[in-house]
Amino acid sequence: MSEISAASPALLGGDPVRTKPFPPRPGIGAAEREAVAGVLDSGVLSQFLGGWTEEFWGGPRVRGLERAWEARFGVRHAISMNSATSALYAAAAAAGVGPGDEVIVSPYTMTASAACALVQGALPVFADIDDATFCLDPDSVRERITERTKAIVAVDIFGLAAGLDELMEIAREHDLVVIEDAAQAPGAAWRGRPAGTLGHIGVFSLNYHKPIQCGEGGVAVTDDDRLAERLALVRNHAEAVVGDMGADHPDLVGFNYRLGELEAAIAAVQLERLDALVEPRIRAAERLTAGLADLEGVHPPFVPEGARHVYYVHAVRLDPERLGVSRARFAAALRAEGVPVAEGYVAPLYRQPLYQRRTAPAFALAPGGGPSYADGTSPVCERLHERELVYHDLVHADMGEDDLDDIVAAFRKVHAWRDELRRPGTP
Ligand SMILES: Cc1ncc(COP(=O)(O)O)c(C=O)c1O
């Protein structure tokens, strides 16, 4: 083993590449403060009524946000909610998902992408994901279709929308609704069309770690008038309202998923800054990708031809066989160099106790107890999660070139020293 020196990996006692913290994410600016002050001055913090009046549609900021969202994304309807989770739950209800139905979804996503089926008494069926894009693999989706399939939830994971054309084709063949979970992907696009508008209903998140934020918030979009009406009903106590609307939607039970005026005002300002916040992310990620491109066994995010990836996180696939060192070791070495990478993403959702124990009410309604959630259900996802993926979110608009170059330098250093790192007996 070579002598330990300052140039050695920090994990083996050398000096780390990075000793100071990376810049925090961009905060809230003067325009957001002013917008909040305007709401406070108006005295109207919310203006929804759960009845069939003008106020069924919410207050002026909520409606203003929705009109601005429609214009920015080129959709007929934007319906704001108090989170993307609420918007997903409303989307499943609007799509008519119900007891006995199945909803095909990726297991490599935030829990609500799948839980939206359970809330409606339906069961998530987990398909596998594509090795390169980490989005649903359409071939795997085809294999999961049964006569009970009602909808597909396609997740634009990590800020990339991929495979939707084929999923829409499958949906046409089998008369399914596609819900695009674009929570992580505002500003992304596929062949010039905004992510979130590629399915029948799209859902965005405005929580604090998304590219644009208002604290807590979400928006559902659709070009379908009937789906829009149903989304608005579920948001706002549907059962109290449908009578007035001619009982056209008697299957709907409503919630209170309404967004407040303060959040709506902040979200409207953030929406104006969407490009200004997302374009630096793309430039940052491209700088990282260029700096890692020649490293054998290190695969920066894949961007299919025609896609605009907005990099909610920068997810790098490691190939431990080619590297000759495990992901755990590689990631530990990166962290020792001062780059806080996480390993894997969320565990495949079917490993949650909820699915393993089948205790949710929806399972009681399932013929034969429902689909399998055994290990091996989504092997690509399992491999990526257990052995290959590392990610970080250091691609935001306030990252400088020097900060990004430190990340590249850390990856390159760990890669160059990988033989030392795998030696038995090294700490
Ligand atoms: C893919 C995905 N879907 C849905 C959500 C839920 O978003 P919210 O926190 O706004 O409910 C998130 C949030 O992290 C997400 O990443």
Side-chain angles (χ1 to χ4, degrees):
M1 180 182 163
S2 28
E3 287 299 301
I4 299 299
S5 73
S8 301
L11 193 64
L12 304 184
D15 290 347
V17 168
R18 177 89 183 184
T19 47
K20 58 178 184 187
F22 287 102
R25 263 191 286 264
I28 290 299
E32 286 87 349
R33 276 196 197 90
E34 211 176 291
V36 168
V39 177
L40 294 176
D41 289 345
S42 78
V44 179
L45 302 185
S46 179
Q47 205 170 30
F48 275 103
L49 282 179
W52 195 234
T53 67
E54 186 70 0
E55 294 187 348
F56 173 73
W57 301 102
R61 267 76 180 189
V62 160
R63 294 195 222 175
L65 170 68
E66 292 172 347
R67 300 300 81 75
W69 205 280
E70 286 159 6
R72 172 63 175 76
F73 289 90
V75 281
R76 280 176 62 75
H77 306 282
I79 298 99
S80 62
M81 309 260 176
N82 53 18
S83 69
T85 301
S86 302
L88 283 164
Y89 288 11
V97 169
D101 291 338
E102 294 176 349
V103 175
I104 300 177
V105 61
S106 164
Y108 213 33
T109 177
M110 188 262 179
T111 187
S113 316
C116 66
L118 287 174
V119 170
Q120 290 304 117
L123 294 177
V125 173
F126 295 100
D128 210 349
I129 55 175
D130 182 273
D131 200 31
T133 66
F134 315 141
C135 295
L136 268 181
D137 171 359
D139 290 338
S140 175
V141 169
R142 273 189 199 283
E143 286 166 12
R144 304 293 197 273
I145 302 264
T146 71
E147 72 280 2
R148 291 185 291 279
T149 310
K150 181 81 180 189
I152 301 169
V153 179
V155 184
D156 301 338
I157 198 72
F158 306 148
L160 173 69
L164 270 288
D165 289 347
E166 208 172 328
L167 294 178
M168 288 302 279
E169 188 57 46
I170 295 171
R172 266 189 293 278
E173 283 165 26
H174 297 275
D175 194 21
L176 311 176
V177 177
V178 173
I179 299 168
E180 184 185 2
D181 180 348
Q184 301 182 357
W190 173 247
R191 297 192 174 142
R193 290 171 58 209
T197 69
L198 306 170
H200 299 104
I201 302 175
V203 166
F204 300 89
S205 172
L206 292 160
N207 79 18
Y208 82 97
H209 48 82
K210 295 301 186 299
I212 59 171
Q213 58 134 340
C214 65
E216 300 290 350
V219 179
V221 297
T222 182
D223 279 332
D224 183 302
D225 296 350
R226 184 174 163 83
L227 287 175
E229 192 167 285
R230 290 171 67 81
L231 286 163
L233 280 162
V234 176
R235 166 175 73 175
N236 192 8
H237 303 294
E239 68 283 0
V241 183
V242 288
D244 301 333
M245 289 173 77
D248 203 17
H249 308 280
D251 59 313
L252 290 180
V253 178
F255 294 80
N256 174 353
Y257 290 154
R258 307 176 308 209
L259 188 68
E261 290 286 286
L262 288 165
E263 290 82 0
I266 297 171
V269 174
Q270 288 267 302
L271 180 61
E272 282 173 21
R273 294 175 59 196
L274 177 60
D275 289 322
L277 288 167
V278 152
E279 277 159 16
R281 299 185 84 85
I282 298 173
R283 280 198 299 277
E286 285 176 352
R287 192 175 181 94
L288 294 182
T289 292
L292 308 182
D294 63 322
L295 299 183
E296 193 189 351
V298 174
H299 303 281
F302 170 67
V303 186
E305 182 84 33
R308 185 182 199 239
H309 195 322
V310 291
Y311 305 98
Y312 168 62
V313 296
H314 196 255
V316 174
R317 188 168 72 76
L318 302 176
D319 183 340
E321 271 76 53
R322 296 193 93 141
L323 289 169
V325 60
S326 70
R327 176 188 65 185
R329 193 85 175 131
F330 200 96
L334 282 170
R335 286 191 288 267
E337 297 300 337
V339 176
V341 292
E343 293 169 57
Y345 179 53
V346 290
L349 289 183
Y350 48 82
R351 292 192 177 153
Q352 292 177 342
L354 178 64
Y355 301 107
Q356 290 302 313
R357 298 200 198 139
R358 297 173 187 265
T359 40
F363 290 105
L365 307 166
S372 166
Y373 298 125
D375 271 355
T377 295
S378 308
V380 173
C381 175
E382 291 178 12
R383 169 167 56 78
L384 286 166
H385 178 69
E386 286 161 13
R387 298 202 297 276
E388 297 186 355
L389 207 91
V390 294
Y391 74 94
H392 61 81
D393 65 354
L394 297 168
V395 286
H396 57 73
D398 286 353
M399 288 287 289
E401 290 188 350
D402 289 353
D403 301 313
L404 296 164
D405 292 347
D406 279 350
I407 297 175
V408 170
F411 265 91
R412 298 194 74 85
K413 180 177 168 189
V414 170
H415 190 266
W417 285 81
R418 62 196 187 282
D419 287 349
E420 300 298 324
L421 288 167
R422 79 164 160 253
R423 237 182 259 283
T426 53

